[in-house]
Amino acid sequence: MITPMIFLSLVSLYIGFGAEHIQQVSTRVASELIDNNQYIESVLGKEQIIGHEE
Amino acid sequence: MTQQLVLYPLLLQMFLSIVLMFCWTKISWQRVISIIGSLINVGVSIWLFSYIWENGTQIVQAGNWKPPFGIIFVADTFSATMVLLTAISGLAVSSFSSASVVAARLKFGYFPIFHFLLLGLNGAFLTGDIFNLYVWFEIIIISSFVLITLGGEKAQLEGSVKYFTLNILASMIFLTAIAVLYGLTGSLNMADLAIKIAAIDNRGLVEITAILFLVAFGIKAAVFPLYFWLPDSYHTPPSAIAAIFGGLLTKVGVYALIRVFTLIFVDDLFLENIILIVAVLTLFSGALGALVQNNIRKVFSYLIICHIGYMIAGLGLFTEVAIAGTIFYLIHDIIVKTNLFMVGGLIFRIRGTNSIRDLGGLYADYPKLSLLIAIPLFSLVGIPPLSGFWPKISLVIAGFEAEQWWVVGAIIFASLMTLIVVAKVWAAVIWKDKKELPVRLNFRYFDKLKTIRKLR
């Protein structure tokens, strides 16, 4: 029962002490979410976006 | 091969569930398969995350139907992160379950259902289709309902009725919202919806549809005033099940809220203000609820509600710093809450009670274990440099930048309340002198019932 708690505690410590890595991930996710054109373009392709805009 | 990588976390969980069903009566096999499968799942999720990190968003079209007509699976950095966190929590809970869940429960398909639940979670994170998201939500509800009732104790059944009723209501509202959305746009593809919704002139109808989504996902995420099912149900199942529920189930609601309100319903000041009000009230009600509870698992349940408020506040502020804070908080919260419910289970195993009043003396008896418990508890408070500190700072900065002083005030208030609650738990469970409790009547005493009947 202790092993998974130790494992998650280590992950938790990594998130805290290695915060710059997690911040990097969070910032990238945030920029992708704020600029949703990246998502739309990946799914529909550029042509369909232009078609819709027209 | 790499294009299909998006589907691997789904296929692996489905494969594990099916294999585990063939080992229905072989509990020790199930334990081994579940742990090894979860370990492989962590590897696959790391592979997916690193591939997305290097190559950007990947999609898979089901049946090769071009979007927006077919169902698609999309792995962007957000969904890949969520899949990785699910895998990490899943591995921890799988091994915790092997040691803590009694054989009587495991015999009724605990592990196959557990992996079906993980399948549903991965599906919800990876789908690019709003109706398919609803289907994955249904898989999550069915699996979680089986897990919450497994064992059939009275408290469990009582909690599960509340859980099921509210979640079915959420599903009905979700389905209604999808129907309205389809009526408005003729599409179910989320990327396509993003374009078509922006072109609709009737903004009132769009806002009503958005509020339907807010209510549906709000029930699942347990935001104010739709949270009351959570503290009434999360303290009833075994701690391993509560751990995966506490860590991931409400977060799938938060994920859906973030996805829908950053992709489909964007740039709407009215909706942003509604989300901010809901966030602030969630922060207050969760914090105050946690303060008055005396059952350790109910305290943790109210803290889940309180901390959902932080994430929703970041979504409402809708700046890059705020959303980054929300994502950081989501990462921190999934790990810490999973760990906390496992801590609750371990304390129950040692002391035989969840009542804070009856607990105590843990440091005197188990000093190393107490230090281990300190990590998730103090991370939750956000004591620097532990994991909860950084996202709170991001959210406070975002609040200052947006000049939303009342949101900043609510965040600081909730942090202070969390500190008080955790200090109370720490003092009562760890520092306080041990209280001698009467011997608890367990299942092993049932064989004495015959003797008791004879004495009548």
Side-chain angles (χ1 to χ4, degrees), chain B residues 30-265:
Chain B
Q30 286 194 24
R31 286 187 176 115
V32 173
I33 293 168
S34 177
I35 293 171
I36 292 173
S38 300
L39 210 56
I40 295 168
N41 190 37
V42 171
V44 169
S45 304
I46 292 171
W47 184 18
L48 176 68
F49 180 81
S50 53
Y51 189 80
I52 300 300
W53 190 259
E54 292 293 323
N55 301 289
T57 306
Q58 300 293 312
I59 67 162
V60 171
Q61 300 154 6
N64 238 358
W65 284 81
K66 293 276 179 207
F69 303 108
I71 291 171
I72 57 156
F73 292 93
V74 185
D76 61 351
T77 318
F78 187 26
S79 46
T81 307
M82 294 305 289
V83 168
L84 179 57
L85 290 166
T86 305
I88 292 169
S89 284
L91 173 63
V93 174
S94 174
S95 62
F96 188 77
S97 304
S98 301
S100 70
V101 179
V102 292
R105 279 195 169 93
L106 297 180
K107 274 181 190 165
F108 286 95
Y110 174 85
F111 280 115
I113 301 294
F114 171 68
H115 285 280
F116 263 120
L117 177 66
L118 296 184
L119 167 72
L121 289 165
N122 282 343
F125 296 138
L126 289 170
T127 187
D129 183 286
I130 196 91
F131 185 76
N132 196 233
L133 180 64
Y134 167 81
V135 175
W136 291 115
F137 268 49
E138 289 305 292
I139 292 174
I140 294 169
I141 291 177
I142 293 164
S143 316
S144 55
F145 187 65
V146 175
L147 286 176
I148 207 169
T149 52
L150 212 62
E153 288 172 20
K154 194 186 166 196
Q156 267 184 288
L157 295 176
E158 203 182 307
S160 64
V161 168
K162 288 170 191 162
Y163 174 81
F164 194 65
T165 311
L166 262 292
N167 275 282
I168 283 292
L169 178 70
S171 293
M172 282 162 62
I173 297 168
F174 185 14
L175 199 59
T176 310
I178 291 171
V180 176
L181 204 59
Y182 188 73
L184 280 172
T185 60
S187 181
L188 293 168
N189 181 294
M190 289 201 265
D192 194 39
L193 283 170
I195 294 171
K196 286 182 174 166
I197 281 288
I200 290 175
D201 294 329
N202 189 348
R203 298 317 293 171
L205 196 55
V206 170
E207 279 171 354
I208 289 168
T209 316
I211 286 173
L212 281 175
F213 277 105
L214 182 62
V215 173
F217 296 145
I219 293 174
K220 287 176 192 298
V223 299
F224 181 89
L226 311 160
Y227 64 78
F228 53 89
W229 60 271
L230 191 146
D232 282 344
S233 56
Y234 275 24
H235 73 288
T236 57
S239 48
I241 299 169
I244 203 77
F245 281 24
L248 285 165
L249 281 202
T250 46
K251 308 308 176 303
V252 76
V254 175
Y255 169 85
L257 278 172
I258 295 172
R259 182 61 83 197
V260 164
F261 286 93
T262 56
L263 184 63
I264 303 172
F265 305 107

Side-chain angles (χ1 to χ4, degrees), chain B residues 2 21 90 96 155 255-256 331 377 380 383 391 395 398 436:
Chain B
T2 44
M21 275 196 279
F96 188 77
Y255 169 85
I331 296 168
L377 275 179
L380 199 68
I383 293 171
L395 290 170
E436 288 306 325

Side-chain angles (χ1 to χ4, degrees), chain B residues 341-364:
Chain B
F341 276 92
M342 295 199 298
V343 164
L346 189 70
I347 291 171
F348 184 78
R349 178 66 73 91
I350 293 168
R351 292 286 192 247
T353 179
N354 280 320
S355 168
I356 291 175
R357 284 197 195 103
D358 297 335
L359 288 164
L362 208 67
Y363 185 76

Side-chain angles (χ1 to χ4, degrees), chain A residues 2-19:
Chain A
I2 302 285
T3 316
M5 285 170 54
I6 295 171
F7 168 61
L8 287 187
S9 297
L10 289 174
V11 175
S12 198
L13 287 175
Y14 171 74
I15 295 171
F17 286 91

Side-chain angles (χ1 to χ4, degrees), chain A residues 28-45:
Chain A
R28 178 161 156 180
V29 172
S31 69
E32 286 180 11
L33 291 173
I34 293 278
D35 175 21
N36 60 17
N37 277 332
Q38 285 180 46
Y39 184 97
I40 298 167
E41 208 175 289
S42 306
V43 175
L44 299 174

